[in-house]
Amino acid sequence: MMNKKLTEIRKGTKEQDLKKLALLSERELMMELRTSDKGLSEEDAAQRLEEYGPNEVSAQKPTPALLMFIEAFKDPFVYVLALLMIVSALTKDFEAAIVMGLMILASVVITFIQEFRSQKASLALKELIENTTAVTREGTTREIPMDEVVPGDIITLATGDMIPADAVLIWTKDLFVNQSSLTGESMPVEKFVDAGVEKDQQGVSALDMQDLVFMGTDVLSGQGKAIILKTGQNTFFGDIAKNATTQRGKTSFDIGLTKVSKFLLRMVMVLFPIVFLINGLTKGEWGEAFFFAIAVAVGLTPEMLPMIVTSNLAKGALTLSKHKVIVKELPSIQNLGGMDVLCTDKTGTITEDRVVLVQHLNPLGIENEQVLDMAFLNSHYQTGWKNLMDIAVINYYAENERATPFKSITKLDEIPFDFSRRRLTVVVNADNHQFMVTKGAVEEMEEVCTHAEIDGEIVPLTEELRQKMRDVNRKMNEQGMRVIAVAVKKDVHNEAVYSTDDEADMTLIGFMGFLDPAKKSAITAIKSLHEHGVNVKVLTGDNDIVAKKVCGDVGIEVSHVVLGAELDEMSDEQLEEEVEMTNLFAKLNPMQKSRIIETLQKNGHTVGFMGDGINDAPALRKADVGISVDTAADITKDASSIILLEKSLNVLEFGVIEGRKVFSNMMKYIKITISSNFGNVFSILVASAFLPFLPMMSIQLLIQNLIYDVAQLTIPWDNVDEEELLKPVRWEINSMAKFTLCIGPVSSIFDIMTYLVMWFVFGANTIADQSLFQTGWFMVGLVSQTLVVHMVRTRKLPFIQSIASPQVLLTSLGAILVGIGIVVTPLRSVFEFTELPTAYWGWFVAIIVLYLITVEFAKRLYIRMTKEWI
């Protein structure tokens, strides 16, 4: 049982709880949370996991199947059908009520199945990229999934870690945390132990307390240890997830769907009252006219749109997962297809990502073993995020079975890397001497060095010597090497307490040269991306000389380079021009990368960013589609919407093409259905003005629409012409309106032709013969609407130059057979159809064939005039 003091603490608000717990000493905290410096036992942790539940917030938990099924009913089209079903039942038209009930059930069940499958697939994919945290239990520190963390756990934090839950710090070393996800403040916050507020400072927020860290934030640099206080829904982040009233910023996908919805709504609002008034005034049956107008509104709107969109995206996500691309957010597939600028880091993306140590030289460029030994001490004993160069140094030592020249080594202190200093320092006691070993970027290291060691002699760094060192560095860069400098300082303090102030008056001992060769596969991938309308820009923190050589090796044209320092001097207007002309930006910090992406977006580009470093997280969040890899830091993966299981532009190229296929197939359904339905409504307006009866009963119009929509469910699996994949795709509402107004009325011409044939040839011109008229038009309307899909799905000659997928062919044939089956079997009486005369079928075939030929001519005329298609 928790003791009385802790129970009282937990009676208050969550913020008060945290503030009170933060004011306790480490010993009191251990007692309150029934833990120790060795952490919880596995048995105790399991009990607490059962008591408190998984460390998840509402937004992370999967939606229960029952709730998902109920949500599927929340659709405006379902509401309309439900209203018609109720009215039909009340007027004892039970056949119509049953049909509409089946339509509702079919729409809801299919939507539910697709959403459920999508969620299941998404959860399975998330397991592949599960974030972990270092937890100490029973004296052993190991990585466990974040959702298994419980109150009382002791966690270890390092650069790049996501903080798994709300916790109080018990040890820190230069710990800087990014709290922007909670506070909106972009500047990092330094955290300390025992930095809580006094009890009388009631107005201070828990977020301002410097010994508290929170779920949803991340470590930018430094180290720390903390005790978990609150998990899951009880965290600050949990409150935000539960009570937030604002959604995540809309992507281009969301904006596009909103525009389509508004376009459809405007069409409905204009045509519904016109159909209602014309039929009411000409027929005198206002009730019947009202329900017919509702049926027309349903027929006008592609009610399967939500399901078609979801099916497209889910199918795309499944296809991409088979090609080592994990989609965290389904809409990002369309954003991937719409991307026209890809910004990428250099290392591992266009290079091999297998950094190899090739040279270790003294300041004059002569091979030197001391440089290697000191670099190893720094890389081996640092506890932060080990980069590829650290790993290369350690691997070099292991592969060459090399040993350090010291008999005994004890680590004393560490000054972690940060992105402003661009240095990392480790202090060790080696053979009774304190060695302060610092390595980092050449320019930043030169700033803190006043001497150099050459052939065992320490000499002042004169301007002449500095110039010789710069020449060595430049020559290494020109060979494609990434260069870091190594410096030392001996016996600085008696006590092992070091700070960044000690990084001064150091002795430079030499350079380490690393080679990360350009990927051969990147050459073909970049060429293909260029051919598909995607411009590739490199945004790197690396040296501009090395980056320029690598860009040249892989086919990225670099006329000039913009450095981070130059970028800071540019106004927003200047940068807007510069980003269009420049393909290589070097020596950038994280915020500069983010600014470049934001500027490209302002210029109207859909921007993707690919990176895996901690410093890439702000740019990944800013981009329209953030792309990372499964080996990236937790915070980097969290900021991404696409995760690659293989760090390759070839994989990404496949993702871009698949994204375009998904978008193209969505637009096929939207444009074809809206234009076809618009033509039908226009035909109904003409018929309503001149016929003494309704051109089609509402139930007939609805069943025709249902058969057509079911046939379109295979659109996500349709083939897409290569020409449609050569450029980025965008939501173009003006294009949609032009397409609808140009192609839609073509069907109206042949609808009116059908009216005339039914009226004059078959004598269906009285109220008594209206069923014959309606049956004849039903067949022409259904078959023409189904077949026209094959005419307009491609800009090529259908069935000859471009053939639909087998799935689309089969469902089209099925729709036609179902329509024929309804009107030639006794089932026709259910829908108030009648038997068609044998002579009708000759006219039927002639009208359909002539219609398809006319649509092909209209299509070619439209393409010639607008220079575009679907």
Side-chain angles (χ1 to χ4, degrees):
M1 293 291 291
M2 293 285 182
N3 64 33
K4 183 178 179 182
K5 185 174 182 181
L6 185 60
T7 303
E8 288 176 353
I9 287 175
R10 293 187 172 175
K11 287 180 181 178
T13 65
K14 291 176 184 177
E15 183 169 6
Q16 289 173 339
D17 285 358
L18 290 172
K19 289 171 69 173
K20 290 176 181 177
L21 287 167
L23 293 172
L24 300 177
S25 67
E26 182 178 337
R27 182 173 175 276
E28 289 175 320
L29 273 171
M30 296 282 189
M31 293 175 61
E32 297 291 352
L33 295 169
R34 293 177 293 134
T35 187
S36 69
D37 56 1
K38 293 184 179 180
L40 300 172
S41 68
E42 293 295 343
E43 181 182 359
D44 198 11
Q47 290 176 352
R48 296 190 189 194
L49 185 62
E50 185 176 349
E51 177 184 352
Y52 294 101
N55 181 35
E56 299 174 335
V57 297
S58 297
Q60 297 172 315
K61 295 177 181 177
T63 306
L66 179 60
L67 183 60
M68 192 179 291
F69 183 74
I70 294 171
E71 288 289 328
F73 282 91
K74 296 180 180 180
D75 188 286
F77 309 119
V78 170
Y79 298 155
V80 172
L81 290 173
L83 175 63
L84 288 173
M85 183 182 70
I86 293 169
V87 172
S88 297
L90 292 175
T91 55
K92 299 185 178 180
D93 186 358
F94 297 113
E95 292 89 350
I98 290 170
V99 170
M100 281 179 276
L102 289 174
M103 289 177 69
I104 292 172
L105 191 60
S107 176
V108 168
V109 168
I110 294 172
T111 301
F112 164 72
I113 290 172
Q114 189 56 61
E115 288 284 351
F116 184 78
R117 284 179 176 174
S118 175
Q119 176 174 278
K120 187 177 179 180
S122 177
L123 292 173
L125 292 175
K126 282 183 178 179
E127 290 296 320
L128 296 176
I129 53 171
E130 188 171 48
N131 292 329
T132 61
T133 192
V135 171
T136 301
R137 289 180 181 170
E138 298 180 349
T140 302
T141 301
R142 61 186 178 88
E143 294 284 331
I144 69 168
M146 283 189 181
D147 57 6
E148 295 179 13
V149 170
V150 296
D153 265 330
I154 295 177
I155 60 170
T156 300
L157 302 172
T159 304
D161 286 347
M162 290 182 65
I163 294 167
D166 293 354
V168 62
L169 293 163
I170 56 175
W171 175 82
T172 62
K173 176 65 177 177
D174 299 319
L175 184 67
F176 285 84
V177 174
N178 170 26
Q179 294 189 165
S180 61
S181 58
L182 296 180
T183 64
E185 175 57 54
S186 60
M187 295 299 292
V189 177
E190 188 169 8
K191 295 290 184 176
F192 306 97
V193 178
D194 299 327
V197 297
E198 297 298 327
K199 293 182 180 180
D200 59 348
Q201 291 180 281
Q202 298 298 322
V204 176
S205 167
L207 292 170
D208 294 326
M209 297 177 70
Q210 291 179 300
D211 57 350
L212 287 177
V213 289
F214 303 91
M215 173 189 269
T217 63
D218 52 274
V219 179
L220 287 180
S221 64
Q223 305 161 316
K225 284 188 177 182
I227 302 177
I228 299 296
L229 303 178
K230 301 282 185 179
T231 59
Q233 209 59 50
N234 293 317
T235 62
F236 251 87
F237 192 79
D239 268 348
I240 292 174
K242 183 178 180 180
N243 301 318
T245 56
T246 57
Q247 294 289 327
R248 196 180 195 181
K250 288 187 176 181
T251 65
S252 61
F253 176 83
D254 301 318
I255 295 169
L257 274 184
T258 301
K259 289 179 179 178
V260 171
S261 300
K262 288 180 179 179
F263 176 71
L264 292 172
L265 186 60
R266 284 195 291 268
M267 289 180 66
V268 170
M269 291 178 67
V270 170
L271 293 172
F272 174 82
I274 294 174
V275 173
F276 173 59
L277 290 172
I278 289 177
N279 281 283
L281 292 171
T282 57
K283 314 299 182 298
E285 295 290 338
W286 289 96
E288 201 171 68
F290 175 76
F291 291 115
F292 181 71
I294 289 179
V296 169
V298 173
L300 177 65
T301 309
E303 62 266 32
M304 295 293 185
L305 178 60
M307 187 174 58
I308 292 288
V309 169
T310 304
S311 298
N312 259 294
L313 296 176
K315 182 259 180 185
L318 185 61
T319 302
L320 289 173
S321 70
K322 294 176 181 177
H323 290 79
K324 301 182 180 181
V325 180
I326 295 175
V327 179
K328 285 176 60 184
E329 302 164 7
L330 285 180
S332 63
I333 297 175
Q334 190 276 321
N335 293 331
L336 196 59
M339 179 177 70
D340 62 337
V341 175
L342 171 65
C343 297
T344 177
D345 192 11
K346 174 180 67 67
T347 305
T349 307
I350 59 178
T351 59
E352 290 284 358
D353 198 14
R354 57 172 185 85
V355 173
V356 179
L357 174 61
V358 291
Q359 289 187 344
H360 39 94
L361 311 176
N362 74 4
L364 298 181
I366 302 170
E367 188 170 307
N368 184 280
E369 298 298 321
Q370 183 191 12
V371 180
L372 175 61
D373 293 330
M374 289 301 174
F376 174 77
L377 291 180
N378 183 286
S379 296
H380 180 74
Y381 286 101
Q382 69 110 337
T383 57
W385 180 263
K386 282 184 168 57
N387 62 32
L388 292 171
M389 287 177 290
D390 288 317
I391 295 169
V393 172
I394 294 168
N395 287 345
Y396 184 92
Y397 245 67
E399 290 167 5
N400 290 278
E401 299 181 352
R402 186 177 174 83
T404 65
F406 303 106
K407 294 178 181 179
S408 64
I409 303 172
T410 305
K411 180 181 174 181
L412 299 177
D413 204 356
E414 180 176 352
I415 306 172
F417 178 87
D418 66 54
F419 299 108
S420 57
R421 289 166 39 250
R422 299 178 71 197
R423 294 185 294 269
L424 187 149
T425 295
V426 168
V427 184
V428 296
N429 187 315
D431 294 348
N432 298 319
H433 287 284
Q434 287 190 15
F435 285 93
M436 179 180 174
V437 185
T438 303
K439 75 175 190 305
V442 174
E443 291 83 356
E444 281 74 11
M445 289 297 294
E446 188 179 337
E447 291 175 4
V448 298
C449 290
T450 56
H451 292 75
E453 185 173 338
I454 301 172
D455 296 330
E457 183 182 356
I458 297 175
V459 297
L461 265 181
T462 62
E463 187 57 36
E464 181 184 359
L465 183 54
R466 287 180 186 272
Q467 190 56 52
K468 288 181 180 179
M469 288 164 41
R470 290 167 192 156
D471 290 340
V472 171
N473 179 37
R474 190 186 72 256
K475 287 176 183 177
M476 294 173 76
N477 288 159
E478 288 171 349
Q479 295 173 46
M481 276 186 255
R482 170 84 181 271
V483 183
I484 62 171
V486 182
V488 296
K489 203 173 181 182
K490 190 174 179 181
D491 297 327
V492 179
H493 298 296
N494 293 325
E495 301 295 329
V497 180
Y498 287 74
S499 70
T500 54
D501 292 337
D502 293 310
E503 293 178 335
D505 301 323
M506 301 195 75
T507 299
L508 184 79
I509 60 172
F511 304 106
M512 304 286 287
F514 301 87
L515 199 59
D516 186 9
K519 285 182 178 177
K520 292 181 180 178
S521 61
I523 300 172
T524 54
I526 289 171
K527 182 181 178 183
S528 179
L529 285 169
H530 285 159
E531 289 171 351
H532 286 85
V534 180
N535 188 22
V536 181
K537 296 179 183 290
V538 174
L539 277 55
T540 180
D542 287 352
N543 183 288
D544 55 314
I545 301 173
V546 176
K548 187 173 182 178
K549 183 182 186 304
V550 173
C551 287
D553 290 343
V554 298
I556 298 175
E557 184 180 340
V558 179
S559 57
H560 70 290
V561 183
V562 173
L563 303 179
E566 297 170 344
L567 188 143
D568 282 338
E569 299 297 320
M570 294 181 186
S571 65
D572 290 343
E573 292 75 18
Q574 289 174 316
L575 187 57
E576 285 173 14
E577 294 182 11
E578 196 64 53
V579 293
E580 298 296 333
M581 301 182 294
T582 306
N583 287 335
L584 174 59
F585 295 84
K587 302 194 73 174
L588 301 177
N589 63 39
M591 299 317 296
Q592 288 168 339
K593 291 182 181 181
S594 186
R595 185 186 173 199
I596 291 168
I597 290 171
E598 185 175 14
T599 304
L600 284 165
Q601 290 170 327
K602 284 180 182 178
N603 287 359
H605 296 286
T606 300
V607 186
F609 181 78
M610 184 172 176
D612 67 346
I614 302 158
N615 58 328
D616 291 326
L620 288 164
R621 288 193 182 101
K622 179 65 66 177
D624 292 293
V625 52
I627 306 154
S628 189
V629 291
D630 64 331
T631 54
D634 289 343
I635 183 59
T636 309
K637 289 187 289 186
D638 190 64
S640 305
S641 48
I642 300 282
I643 304 288
L644 305 183
L645 297 183
E646 180 181 311
K647 195 173 183 182
S648 166
L649 284 178
N650 280 326
V651 175
L652 184 60
E653 175 203 352
F654 179 85
V656 169
I657 293 172
E658 186 62 29
R660 293 181 186 180
K661 286 181 180 178
V662 167
F663 183 85
S664 180
N665 283 332
M666 275 196 298
M667 291 308 296
K668 281 179 191 176
Y669 174 77
I670 295 171
K671 282 190 172 183
I672 292 169
T673 305
I674 292 176
S675 61
S676 180
N677 289 353
F678 177 78
N680 288 344
V681 172
F682 189 75
S683 303
I684 288 169
L685 289 176
V686 173
S688 298
F690 298 103
L691 295 178
F693 48 79
L694 290 173
M696 200 181 292
M697 304 297 289
S698 59
I699 186 64
Q700 295 167 348
L701 196 61
L702 290 170
I703 192 64
Q704 182 190 69
N705 202 46
L706 176 64
I707 294 171
Y708 169 77
D709 279 330
V710 171
Q712 302 313 300
L713 291 177
T714 54
I715 282 287
W717 286 266
D718 191 20
N719 301 324
V720 179
D721 295 337
E722 286 294 326
E723 293 81 356
E724 306 302 327
L725 304 176
L726 292 178
K727 60 181 181 179
V729 289
R730 297 172 183 268
W731 295 96
E732 298 288 354
I733 301 304
N734 290 337
S735 171
M736 190 181 299
K738 285 188 293 184
F739 186 94
T740 301
L741 293 174
C742 293
I743 302 299
V746 174
S747 66
S748 299
I749 296 171
F750 289 89
D751 285 333
I752 294 170
M753 185 184 296
T754 305
Y755 297 166
L756 296 174
V757 168
M758 298 308 297
W759 185 277
F760 293 107
V761 177
F762 296 104
N765 48 26
T766 65
I767 294 176
D769 294 315
Q770 65 174 322
S771 183
L772 177 60
F773 184 100
Q774 292 161 349
T775 307
W777 188 44
F778 169 84
M779 278 307 305
V780 170
L782 175 63
V783 175
S784 63
Q785 193 175 21
T786 301
L787 290 180
V788 79
V789 170
H790 296 268
M791 309 302 292
V792 300
R793 59 168 291 279
T794 173
R795 66 175 70 214
K796 297 179 179 179
L797 194 62
F799 302 112
I800 298 174
Q801 295 177 324
S802 178
I803 303 175
S805 67
Q807 296 95 321
V808 174
L809 289 170
L810 286 172
T811 51
S812 296
L813 179 61
I816 294 171
L817 292 177
V818 168
I820 294 173
I822 288 175
V823 300
V824 301
T825 65
L827 191 62
R828 59 178 171 260
S829 60
V830 175
F831 303 101
E832 300 183 42
F833 291 131
T834 191
E835 187 175 355
L836 289 165
T838 304
Y840 165 83
W841 296 105
W843 286 96
F844 166 80
V845 172
I847 291 171
I848 294 296
V849 171
L850 191 57
Y851 169 61
L852 296 179
I853 293 172
T854 306
V855 168
E856 183 64 22
F857 277 109
K859 178 180 79 175
R860 295 188 178 280
L861 181 62
Y862 177 86
I863 293 172
R864 187 179 301 171
M865 292 174 60
T866 63
K867 310 298 181 185
E868 63 182 31
W869 194 234
I870 291 177

